[in-house]
DNA sequence: CTGTATCCGTGTTGATACTG
DNA sequence: CAGTATCAACACGGATACAG
């Protein structure tokens, strides 16, 4: 019925500059945020939608098609018994993480940045990777629970290891919304308040949380 | 006549993620390329236009207004006797250079990247900063002449210093189109051929050019 | 020369409804 | 759940015309 894909990309920059070509690859609206959501592993279409409120289904389809055509995203089917379609970054797509980090680090200094808006779980983990300061690091082992999604974060020898799925032997487990965890770790909300409001539940060693949080700080505003 | 500036920015992401906010700041088409052109110092409206073919005057006006409203660009008037209006990056705007570099470095690995397209002078200098490899650096002092624009590049003690205006005591001066210089330095064109075609004119020590070029290499394709 | 203000055709974006 | 179809609004780019 719809065999011919016209695949017109008439909006080019015609510029040999790598930056300009990068914008042709991931400069379309939502494209980089879709990649952000895939940075920690494959996701389903519906999971992407719920992590990106405001992105409609047809646009998500277009972005995934475009990213797949560019060799950044691969459409896969999970092995049985799951057998569901998922979208995954290719190796090269994964290499875009430094771009996301630099952009986030820089924009966090914006006077117009509102850190109280909703935050996806992947965004939180990537922001931890971005804002981690090895000079302030103390060993700590934390897990996070966001609904059915679980993540681990480990500080060891001045390095941060983080990702999807729980880790071994966490010293503390934090459960709540990603935004509340951000408030806790970046220090613009107090743990006592967050627990009293029911925004966060904490299990285990609170000292480990304090040690962990000490390594993370938001940069000052540029103004 | 048109006093009310509606200034609608209805296309937001509503996401606390710094990356998303960054896209709201510089994610519009052409915005990052306008900033790229300002990275090496203030420019005039017409200079920006000629460096960015395909960008129409009305869109350039919109971008400059938006970037100024975000605190990234400042409109200034050069002191007499010049007394001409120019656009300059603010300090915070200047801090976006790592984003441009990471994006360029990453996109240079794209199979679809065509390095033979036209290239602006600023793009060339920024690409040198991006691709410079301290491990291969040998001292060299080069100046570049692109029409009326002149730039300097110095490798000293494993570091690259580059910018607008000629430097002191260059060992060699290269004159031509930025794209031809890119071909020379990145090694996909031979100096002899470029000179024979009239694409490049070289004055001074050719050995310095070879020493300089040895520190720059384009990354391999991802594919 | 440095913009600003229009109109206009096209393409992109996004919300809603809908199908398998 | 995973998309597709349709339609409306907007952004983009070209071409002016115009003001200082």
């Amino acid at each position: 019925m719809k065999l011919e894909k016209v695949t017109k990309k008439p909006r080019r920059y015609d510029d040999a500059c790598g930056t300009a070509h990068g914008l042709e690859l991931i400069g379309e609206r939502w494209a980089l945020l879709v990649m952000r959501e895939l940075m920690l592993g494959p996701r389903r279409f519906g999971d992407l939608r719920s992590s990106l409120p405001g992105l409609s289904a047809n646009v998500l389809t277009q972005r995934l098609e475009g990213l797949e055509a560019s060799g950044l995203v691969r459409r896969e089917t999970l092995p049985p018994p799951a057998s569901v379609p998922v979208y995954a970054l290719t190796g090269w797509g994964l290499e875009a993480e430094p771009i996301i980090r630099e952009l986030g680090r820089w924009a966090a200094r914006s006077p117009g940045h509102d850190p109280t808006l909703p935050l996806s779980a992947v965004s939180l983990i990537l922001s931890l990777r971005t804002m981690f300061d090895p000079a302030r690091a103390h060993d700590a082992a934390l897990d996070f629970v966001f609904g059915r999604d679980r993540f681990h974060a480990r500080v060891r020898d001045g390095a941060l290891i983080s990702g999807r799925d729980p880790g071994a032997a966490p010293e503390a487990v934090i459960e709540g919304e990603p935004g509340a965890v951000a408030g806790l770790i970046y220090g613009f909300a107090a743990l006592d308040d967050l627990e009293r409001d029911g925004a966060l539940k904490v299990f285990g060693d609170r000292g480990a949380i304090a040690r962990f949080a000490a390594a993370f700080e938001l940069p000052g505003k540029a103004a």
Side-chain angles (χ1 to χ4, degrees), chain A:
Chain A
M1 201 72 78
K2 267 285 295 302
L3 282 213
E4 59 160 335
K5 305 272 280 192
V6 186
T7 316
K8 292 204 276 191
K9 299 207 70 176
R11 292 279 173 84
R12 305 182 63 85
Y13 291 110
D14 289 321
D15 192 320
C17 169
T19 304
H21 184 61
L23 291 171
E24 290 170 348
L25 291 168
I26 55 173
E28 279 181 310
R29 196 169 156 75
W30 294 107
L32 193 60
L33 298 185
V34 170
M35 292 189 63
R36 177 194 77 189
E37 288 302 316
L38 295 176
M39 276 288 154
L40 263 35
R43 308 280 300 274
R44 307 196 55 180
F45 188 93
D47 294 336
L48 291 172
R49 274 208 77 179
S50 38
S51 292
L52 295 167
L55 171 58
S56 55
N58 53 358
V59 174
L60 177 54
T61 300
Q62 290 173 32
R63 289 300 164 276
L64 289 168
E65 283 173 352
L67 292 171
E68 189 173 9
S70 300
L72 296 167
V73 161
R74 205 166 27 225
R75 193 174 190 276
E76 300 174 344
T77 301
L78 252 34
S83 302
V84 295
V86 294
Y87 296 89
L89 288 181
T90 63
W92 178 40
L94 227 32
E95 292 174 26
E97 187 178 334
I99 301 168
I100 293 177
R101 287 202 213 181
E102 285 298 335
L103 184 56
R105 181 202 318 283
W106 174 80
R109 301 198 51 204
S110 167
H113 182 219
D114 180 1
T116 67
L117 291 169
L119 189 71
S120 83
V122 174
S123 295
L124 174 67
I125 301 294
L126 292 181
S127 93
L128 294 180
R129 293 183 183 178
T130 303
M131 300 304 174
F132 177 69
D133 179 1
R136 301 159 168 253
H138 305 274
D139 282 10
L142 262 53
D143 277 6
F144 301 107
V145 178
F146 306 124
R148 288 164 304 288
D149 288 323
R150 282 147 188 271
F151 300 85
H152 64 274
R154 299 287 182 273
V155 179
R156 290 256 190 284
D157 303 323
L160 171 68
I161 296 170
S162 59
R164 206 171 276 280
D165 299 323
E171 296 167 284
V173 178
I174 306 179
E175 180 171 2
E177 292 295 314
V181 175
L184 170 63
I185 293 178
Y186 292 119
F188 52 83
L191 178 52
D192 290 346
D193 296 339
L194 291 166
E195 282 191 290
R196 192 177 314 114
D197 302 347
L200 237 46
K201 279 193 275 191
V202 167
F203 310 90
D205 176 10
R206 284 148 193 270
I209 298 177
R211 284 201 312 280
F212 183 85
F216 301 91
E217 192 182 20
L218 289 179
K221 293 296 181 193

